[in-house]
Amino acid sequence: MLGHLVGVLFDGVAYGSLLFVISIGLSVTMGLMNFVNLAHGAFAMLGGYACAVLMTRAGVPFLATLPLAFAAAAAAGIVLERTLYQRLYRATHLEQVMFSIGLVFMAVAGATWAFGPSQAAVRLPGFLRGQVHVAGLDFGAYRVFLIGVVVVVTIALHLMLVRTRFGAQVRASVDNAVAAAGLGIDVNRVFAVTFALGSGLAGLGGALGIDVLGLDPTFPLKYMVYFLLVVAIGGAGTIKGGLVAAMVLGIADVAGKYYLPQAGAFIIYVLMVALMILFPAGLYGRRT
Amino acid sequence: MNRPITTARRSILRRFAAGVLLGLLPLTALAADPLRIGLILPLTGPFASTGKQIEAAVRLYSAKNGDTVAGRKVQLIVKDDTGVAPETTKRIAQELVVQDKVNVLAGFGLTPLALAAAPVATEAKIPMVVMAAATSIIPSKSPMIVRSGFTLPQITGPIADWAAKNRIKRVVTMVTDYGPGIDAEKTFIARFKAGGGEVVESIRTPLRNPDYAPFLQRAKDAKPDALFVFVPSGEGLAVMKQFDDRGLKQAGIRLIGTGDVTDDDLLENMGAAAVGVITSFHYSAAHDSPENKAYVDAFTRANNGMRPNFHSVGGYDGMNLIYEAVKKTGGTANGEALVEAMKGLKWVSPRGPMAIDPASRDVVQTVYLREVKIVNGKPWNVEFDKVENVRDPGN
Amino acid sequence: MTSAPAPDAPRLPGARWSAPEIAFWLLAVAAFFAFPAYRVLGSQILITGLFAVTLDLILGYAGIVSLGHAAFFGAGAYAAGLLTVHGWGEPVSGLVAAGAAGAIVGYATSFLVVRGADLARLMVTLGIGLLLYEAANKAAFVTGGVDGLSGVSMWKLFGVFPFDLAGNTAYLYSLAVLFVLFALARRIVNSPFGLSLRGIRENGRRMPAIGSPVARRLIAIYTISAAMAGVAGGLLAQTTQFVGLDVLSFPRSADLMIVLVLGGTGRLYGGLVGAAVFMIAHHLLSDLNPVYWQFWLGLLLVVVVMFARGGILGGVDALRRRSRGASR
């Protein structure tokens, strides 16, 4: 019984880790630029397809595709930020929603055109398949790997924000963009780089997620709700909030399905409504 | 590709106006009254791969058999209903009937879409060939409906019988929590119990389900001899991967199911993970017959290497059904006469011998038992046994 | 939420209908005769338009962002559908039942929605919508689940007009219902009650200071909007004679939001214009290219946002202002 519990917690954390990597960029763009970017999933899909295409058509090994998936999504992010997104920072949230949904429609049709409507797949290297046996318990090797990646990403993000000059600029811009600009911080550049970073992380998450979430052209629509959940529950603009929210969601989802499969999808939605009513600004959101 | 949108706002409005007006021009006198087939498919959205397979098969059929039948030119009108909104499917059916004056409606990717359109066929007295939607009740909803695909209970029965006869005693079932899934679950449990087996647990997974791992873990912890799975087309890949990853195979649990799980469209992507999975189904791209060899060959060549799957034969045989019926009626397109002509038709399809039951207008066909094996470096559903003349048990 | 660009100035509740308004409605009647082949599409545009107007009531006027409006639409659709399945196929009373169902669900959930900021409201409405969807799927013995509720057969409207294949009855019936509810909505937003809603949208904290009970007002408009959305759902169920589970789905709520923003929020007509443009564009594009039409529809949305702030009607206003400025 206890073994089951450990297994469920482990799976939940792994699932949450994946949600965190994909969603954290959305949380940052909402917190930093106050931009509701529903097209965030499209960047994740781009990273996923980059990984799948590199592996199946160019024979690049899985691990080597991960930085490339990050780079592809980040590059797309910076281009779109400079050409389109930055013109809409002052638009209403509703217009941002319509704009980003428009982008999603274009991405879905584009992906169908380029890759066909079926599920894409990647073949993981042998050492990431199967299970690892520790103390009589089985852990999925790939899930151990996912958790490892998230630990590395989180530490890197944290160090970047706390230790580097750029990190200080980001924090200053989040707190007060106008005052930050007044202090001589190039806020536009901060926005662009941050947007690219967020998109890149989504791309990395998309590539990592192929094996767990699947990958087809409707990806950005299918998981939009989950990404929004992480941001809304965690509170926009905080890494800690996003991390906690992703873990809560991951564990609740897995535990619900394992222990109460007949309750189906209810658990996660009830949890979401309850949390949003109790913490309207998110668990770690700043109350305004 | 057309470029109906330019960047200037005024131009958009003008083009909309132009488009609306163009749509109004009456479709006058197109040479000696062609036979019009309105094909309604999900070509976008979550079920786009179904539509793609069917459209490709239908086009292949026309290419192979010519676009004239019994002296009438065949005109295909393909429409996308996005696969999710019944009111859109019904509207398109109404427009095809009222405006395009089609002689046959065909396609229909999912049950609710077919059910919504059924009254249109009844009222207009136009045959409606259901190529993909697979719940039992569909043909009973209109006397004009004929099915060329399959029904879920029809293809679920044989795997239950096989399991009961092959030393599988305890089974966990896992199906998607919606109409077809529940159909599969009911049929499997009834037949498997009748064969002396025991179903230890029945898991239903939500429709929108990002992660199968916890359900599979639960199935694993119940320690059955086999896990019976039904998931909608396209989801099989995720199930198969997690099944492999969780080590259910190593724990001595076999994976059995309906052929949707080892969908030919995705089987290559599943790779070695799928080897050994036993399913029952009406079509395998590896079916050993000259008709199927020619079909798979032509299909893959015409579609950039895509393997035909079970939805494709639904489309291909649906076209055959229409062509044969028109031949039989000598070219009249009277709807009731066409349906009458379709009843009792028999032919050899790429999937094997099949027929239309005159009473229920439903498909009667051979259901095969298959095992996934690697042949020439690629996984295929290799048939090893068959049950002939299977009807929908609901009828 | 930053407010939408200045909508029309408020009028008196009984304000006369302006010439462009009258022209708009005449156009809707004219479309019936001008496009006989598109009456079914027309009726669905009118229904979506009505649905969008109901969202405008809470979003454009009271500032409540919702991604779960399909909950009320679906409740209405199932109410109207179930009524006929169980033997009562009279259309107008069916719509009353649909409105009541929408109102009940709306009132019951309004308490969860009136508090909280944009993102929280967005997620709460979304969550309620998803829960209802799952509940309707689980309750397949009542709703038919994913297979849908078939066997919806309507009696003739007023005992005279059958719901025909060409959509004649559907179009005129939908238009009549839309007009009645629109006139009601127009009266509401121009009333003192409607003004107080705009005040809440602009600054909810100051409204109590001038004696306006914020929560009560929001609950009232939310319930009214839900009731009208229920009627829209009922209309769809009756004219389609089928209810699919997707009446409750998230994409329906999301598309609705797009329709309204495309047309322009806070001006009632925005929802109608948005529904017409969105659905006609969808129809034409998917006829031209059944597989990749989404790309062009997406491009349309992006282009409208880039060049017309405040949606299409916002863009029209800006053009009018510019031309007036030039002539001055």
Side-chain angles (χ1 to χ4, degrees), chain C residues 38-125:
Chain C
Y38 290 100
R39 284 172 191 161
V40 183
L41 178 65
S43 73
Q44 293 186 358
I45 291 175
L46 294 171
I47 293 167
T48 309
L50 171 60
F51 189 26
V53 168
T54 69
L55 181 64
D56 203 14
L57 281 180
I58 60 164
L59 197 156
Y61 288 90
I64 302 175
V65 206
S66 168
L67 261 185
H69 221 50
F72 317 124
F73 186 84
Y78 276 112
L82 285 168
L83 208 56
T84 72
V85 168
H86 294 104
W88 180 253
E90 202 287 310
V92 178
S93 52
L95 283 192
V96 173
I104 291 168
V105 177
Y107 183 72
T109 56
S110 64
F111 299 92
L112 303 176
V113 176
V114 293
R115 298 189 311 138
D118 282 352
L119 191 57
R121 278 173 174 165
L122 201 74
M123 299 314 286
V124 170
T125 50

Side-chain angles (χ1 to χ4, degrees), chain B residues 35-41 43 49-68 74-79 104-108 129-132 148 295 298-299 302-303 306 308-323 350:
Chain B
L35 182 86
R36 296 193 190 88
I37 302 176
L39 195 60
I40 310 177
L41 294 170
L43 291 166
S49 64
T50 302
K52 187 179 180 182
Q53 285 271 351
I54 294 179
E55 192 194 354
V58 166
R59 299 220 181 268
L60 179 66
Y61 190 91
S62 315
K64 221 170 145 192
N65 296 278
D67 57 358
T68 315
V74 176
Q75 188 190 342
L76 266 180
I77 305 170
V78 180
K79 302 269 183 182
V104 180
L105 288 168
F108 305 100
V129 178
V130 175
M131 294 171 162
S148 67
Y295 176 68
F299 191 97
N303 294 289
M306 179 171 76
N309 77 352
F310 60 105
H311 285 311
S312 84
V313 290
Y316 195 79
D317 289 318
M319 281 299 276
N320 191 57
L321 190 58
I322 297 168
Y323 268 52

Side-chain angles (χ1 to χ4, degrees), chain A residues 93-106:
Chain A
H93 281 168
L94 292 177
E95 285 175 320
Q96 293 169 351
V97 164
M98 183 164 92
F99 163 77
S100 49
I101 290 271
L103 278 190
V104 169
F105 282 178
M106 292 168 76

Side-chain angles (χ1 to χ4, degrees), chain C residues 106-326:
Chain C
Y107 183 72
T109 56
S110 64
F111 299 92
L112 303 176
V113 176
V114 293
R115 298 189 311 138
D118 282 352
L119 191 57
R121 278 173 174 165
L122 201 74
M123 299 314 286
V124 170
T125 50
L126 175 61
I128 293 167
L130 292 170
L131 280 172
L132 265 183
Y133 179 93
E134 291 299 332
N137 183 32
K138 286 274 178 201
F141 55 94
V142 183
T143 61
V146 172
D147 289 346
L149 186 68
S150 48
V152 176
S153 64
M154 300 307 302
W155 299 348
K156 290 176 184 168
L157 182 61
F158 306 128
V160 184
F161 307 105
F163 286 90
D164 54 322
L165 268 190
N168 299 328
T169 310
Y171 188 96
L172 294 175
Y173 178 49
S174 304
L175 182 59
V177 174
L178 170 66
F179 183 75
V180 170
L181 291 187
F182 186 90
L184 182 70
R186 191 174 171 279
R187 230 188 142 78
I188 291 172
V189 300
N190 290 325
S191 69
F193 169 66
L195 282 178
S196 73
L197 292 177
R198 288 183 215 198
I200 293 168
R201 182 189 70 196
E202 297 305 326
N203 193 333
R205 288 198 191 145
R206 284 198 199 147
M207 287 308 282
I210 58 169
S212 184
V214 172
R216 276 223 312 271
R217 292 277 150 89
L218 289 182
I219 287 171
I221 191 67
Y222 197 74
T223 308
I224 291 170
S225 163
M228 288 169 62
V231 174
L235 260 184
L236 185 75
Q238 295 184 344
T239 55
T240 310
Q241 312 213 15
F242 188 84
V243 186
L245 196 51
D246 79 298
V247 290
L248 287 165
S249 71
F250 166 62
R252 191 176 289 274
S253 300
D255 278 358
L256 182 74
M257 175 90 100
I258 304 291
V259 160
L260 178 59
V261 180
L262 178 67
T265 54
R267 36 178 92 236
L268 288 188
Y269 283 95
L272 303 182
V273 170
V277 171
F278 187 84
M279 291 180 71
I280 292 172
H282 179 164
H283 186 82
L284 293 177
L285 293 172
S286 79
D287 265 6
L288 286 171
N289 191 329
V291 184
Y292 305 117
W293 57 267
Q294 266 183 325
F295 184 86
W296 306 109
L297 193 65
L299 191 59
L300 171 73
L301 299 180
V302 170
V303 168
V304 169
V305 175
M306 285 292 163
F307 294 98
R309 290 293 152 80
I312 293 170
L313 290 187
V316 171
D317 274 0
L319 277 181
R320 278 209 332 239
R321 271 198 304 277
R322 203 183 301 163
S323 66
R324 228 179 279 152

Side-chain angles (χ1 to χ4, degrees), chain A residues 11 15 118 122 211 257-258, chain B residues 209-210 218 221 241 246 265:
Chain A
D11 283 341
Y15 187 45
S118 303
V122 292
D211 213 59
K257 284 172 178 170
Y258 184 84
Chain B
N209 180 37
R218 193 175 167 91
D221 293 341
K241 285 198 151 172
R246 295 265 129 188
D265 196 19

Side-chain angles (χ1 to χ4, degrees), chain B residues 54-369:
Chain B
I54 294 179
E55 192 194 354
V58 166
R59 299 220 181 268
L60 179 66
Y61 190 91
S62 315
K64 221 170 145 192
N65 296 278
D67 57 358
T68 315
V69 59
R72 297 189 63 165
K73 191 124 177 95
V74 176
Q75 188 190 342
L76 266 180
I77 305 170
V78 180
K79 302 269 183 182
D80 167 39
D81 67 2
T82 76
V84 286
E87 80 266 18
T88 307
T89 310
K90 183 170 183 190
R91 188 191 81 218
I92 294 172
Q94 282 169 294
E95 285 170 359
L96 284 170
V97 168
V98 173
Q99 185 183 329
D100 299 315
K101 310 256 179 303
V102 295
N103 306 102
V104 180
L105 288 168
F108 305 100
L110 289 103
T111 302
L113 310 183
L115 295 183
V120 178
T122 312
E123 194 177 335
K125 297 200 169 54
I126 284 180
M128 172 168 157
V129 178
V130 175
M131 294 171 162
T135 37
S136 294
I137 47 166
I138 293 172
S140 68
K141 295 293 175 182
S142 164
M144 305 307 289
I145 294 180
V146 181
R147 175 149 44 196
S148 67
F150 67 106
T151 87
L152 215 51
Q154 177 182 53
I155 52 105
T156 307
I159 187 69
D161 298 345
W162 179 88
K165 278 184 224 142
N166 285 272
R167 283 172 297 142
I168 291 175
K169 298 273 172 274
R170 304 173 74 244
V171 168
V172 170
T173 63
M174 181 175 103
V175 302
T176 305
D177 192 0
Y178 75 133
I182 292 160
D183 262 13
E185 182 191 278
K186 270 193 212 145
T187 312
F188 183 88
I189 293 177
R191 293 280 279 268
F192 186 59
K193 278 190 176 156
E198 179 197 357
V199 174
V200 283
E201 185 167 359
S202 294
I203 300 171
R204 291 180 183 175
T205 64
L207 253 180
R208 256 187 303 251
N209 180 37
D211 186 11
Y212 287 100
F215 298 114
L216 287 169
Q217 187 63 44
R218 193 175 167 91
K220 185 185 180 186
D221 293 341
K223 296 190 172 55
D225 299 322
L227 173 68
F228 168 82
V229 175
F230 165 83
V231 286
S233 176
E235 290 287 310
L237 191 58
V239 173
M240 198 65 71
K241 285 198 151 172
Q242 295 302 326
F243 184 86
D244 193 44
D245 234 30
R246 295 265 129 188
L248 273 79
K249 206 187 270 185
Q250 286 81 340
I253 301 168
R254 305 190 70 164
L255 184 57
I256 58 176
T258 59
D260 318 66
V261 180
T262 56
D263 186 346
D264 277 303
D265 196 19
L266 298 170
L267 193 55
E268 280 187 54
N269 281 336
M270 294 178 191
V275 170
V277 177
I278 311 268
T279 54
S280 61
F281 218 30
H282 59 292
Y283 179 69
S284 160
H287 178 64
D288 192 13
S289 76
E291 290 86 3
N292 187 47
K293 286 232 162 62
Y295 176 68
V296 174
D297 229 40
F299 191 97
T300 4
R301 249 186 295 120
N303 294 289
N304 212 358
M306 179 171 76
R307 220 189 252 191
N309 77 352
F310 60 105
H311 285 311
S312 84
V313 290
Y316 195 79
D317 289 318
M319 281 299 276
N320 191 57
L321 190 58
I322 297 168
Y323 268 52
E324 290 305 317
V326 174
K327 278 183 204 162
K328 222 165 126 183
T329 58
T332 67
N334 175 295
E336 281 159 323
L338 280 179
V339 172
E340 214 43 54
M342 288 175 184
K343 288 179 183 172
L345 274 180
K346 280 190 174 75
W347 69 97
V348 178
S349 139
R351 65 179 102 168
M354 63 183 288
I356 300 298
D357 180 46
S360 64
R361 289 161 280 106
D362 216 334
V363 55
V364 180
Q365 57 191 332
T366 308
V367 176
Y368 305 87
L369 287 152

